[in-house]
Amino acid sequence: MKKIYFAGSIRGGQEDRELYAGLIRWLRERAEVLTEFIGDSTLEETEAKTMTDVDIYRRDMALLQAADAIVAECSTPSLGVGYELGRAEALGLPVYILYRPKAARRLSAMVAGNGGFRLLPYHSREEAETVLGQILEELER
């Protein structure tokens, strides 16, 4: 079973938390999701009470190093996700970028212009699940 590091905007992506949770639930039935907590609606509150920023960084970097691939939902810009993508690239991990195309908010050129990242646009959660299925099939080859 493949180990997936799912990344999404935490501090700036509150409006996407339900989407993250749904995608993580879908993935969890088919792969090991190392970062299930990304979809937790109480994540920031819980981490603020129990973890320092250093703790979060160390945990996330250890999980990233244990992953077979990273799937990042990048519709909402995030410095943290951008950092994770750079680290994943340095580790040689396959990087899959899910995003909802929006005229008002385009992907960063540093993400969109990286020829090594797989850019996977979608318009609905159902379409995103289809794309996730394709990612898992590709990783199994």
Side-chain angles (χ1 to χ4, degrees), residues 52-68:
T52 67
D53 286 348
V54 172
D55 294 332
I56 293 167
Y57 171 83
R58 288 180 178 156
R59 175 203 59 201
D60 291 358
M61 290 301 99
L63 291 172
L64 190 59
Q65 290 178 2
D68 295 311

Side-chain angles (χ1 to χ4, degrees), residues 71-139:
V71 173
E73 207 301 332
C74 292
S75 299
T76 300
S78 167
L79 291 172
V81 173
Y83 183 83
E84 291 165 327
L85 294 174
R87 293 296 305 140
E89 181 179 38
L91 291 169
L93 294 175
V95 176
Y96 299 92
I97 308 294
L98 295 174
Y99 69 99
R100 296 180 309 275
K102 301 177 190 176
R105 186 181 282 168
R106 294 177 29 200
L107 281 177
S108 163
M110 295 303 291
V111 172
N114 183 318
F117 292 174
R118 289 279 313 279
L119 304 180
L120 304 161
Y122 70 96
H123 296 91
S124 67
R125 183 167 149 195
E126 294 76 21
E127 191 177 353
E129 290 171 355
T130 298
V131 170
L132 289 173
Q134 293 166 351
I135 290 168
L136 293 177
E137 285 178 18
E138 184 176 306
L139 289 171

